[in-house]
Amino acid sequence: NHGIFGSQHEKTLPGRFVAPPTPLEILEAAHEMVVSEKVEGSCTACVVTLDQHLRQLTYANLGDGGVLVLRHIDAAVSGSAMRSASKGKGNGAKTCRSSLQVAFLSQQQLHSFNRPYQLGYDDPKHYAKSPSGPPTFDQPRDANVTGIATRPGDLVLVATDGLYKGGR
């Protein structure tokens, strides 16, 4: 699906394989559209892709949202939330909860306390008489772009700062 990306964002590789857009390319295309259509406002952003064949999660995060990967440990089968464990003699099996550990946590991007990096657009004509001029926004190229290996059963949480703050 060409959608907002069009053929200029596709990369043709030998064997006529067309690579999907990267998270950064998606973020750049969305930002270009917002600016070209003069949509006023600002936001933080986190775009994530998952290559299931390579088990590779790639993201572009700008601001105080992010990615959290939780991994099961001490589980009979990777990815199971519960496991059966025999304790002692007899045929009575007890059910034990498996443990989760943080396998990866992306870093927030803040200019200073409570000032996350943000993409945005504000019409400069609103600030014609303002000595400080229009607000400055960050650019997609400022995003933290990272790829991490995943395992079957990993839990991936992509969230805004509101969820992370509320979970403390």
Side-chain angles (χ1 to χ4, degrees), residues 6 21 40 44 53 60 62 64 66 69 83 100 103 108-109 116 122 125 133 141 153 165-166:
E40 294 187 24
T44 60
H53 179 71
L62 190 127
D64 54 0
V69 178
R83 70 176 175 93
L100 289 172
Q108 295 184 346
Q109 292 178 300
D122 203 351
K125 70 181 178 185
R141 68 178 172 270
K165 287 178 184 174

Side-chain angles (χ1 to χ4, degrees), residues 1-10 29 33:
N1 180 345
H2 294 289
I4 64 171
F5 305 106
S7 59
Q8 74 269 19
H9 290 283
E10 294 178 350
M33 182 181 288

Side-chain angles (χ1 to χ4, degrees), residues 35-146:
V35 171
S36 69
E37 295 184 12
K38 298 182 179 182
V39 178
E40 294 187 24
S42 65
C43 69
T44 60
C46 187
V47 179
V48 178
T49 60
L50 177 64
D51 183 322
Q52 293 179 348
H53 179 71
L54 295 175
R55 294 185 181 158
Q56 178 80 17
L57 183 140
T58 306
Y59 71 88
N61 183 55
L62 190 127
D64 54 0
V67 177
L68 172 67
V69 178
L70 299 174
R71 185 162 292 150
H72 290 275
I73 57 172
D74 191 34
V77 177
S78 178
S80 65
M82 304 288 282
R83 70 176 175 93
S84 293
S86 283
K87 298 211 178 201
K89 294 186 178 185
N91 58 2
K94 293 186 177 183
T95 302
C96 302
R97 293 199 179 276
S98 62
S99 299
L100 289 172
Q101 68 178 4
V102 174
F104 179 80
L105 176 62
S106 62
Q107 295 299 307
Q108 295 184 346
Q109 292 178 300
L110 301 171
H111 291 288
S112 62
F113 176 74
N114 211 24
R115 286 194 53 235
Y117 284 32
Q118 292 190 31
L119 297 173
Y121 174 80
D122 203 351
D123 194 332
K125 70 181 178 185
H126 295 155
Y127 299 91
K129 296 180 181 179
S130 171
S132 61
T136 56
F137 295 106
D138 300 292
Q139 298 298 310
R141 68 178 172 270
D142 298 320
N144 178 356
V145 179
T146 305

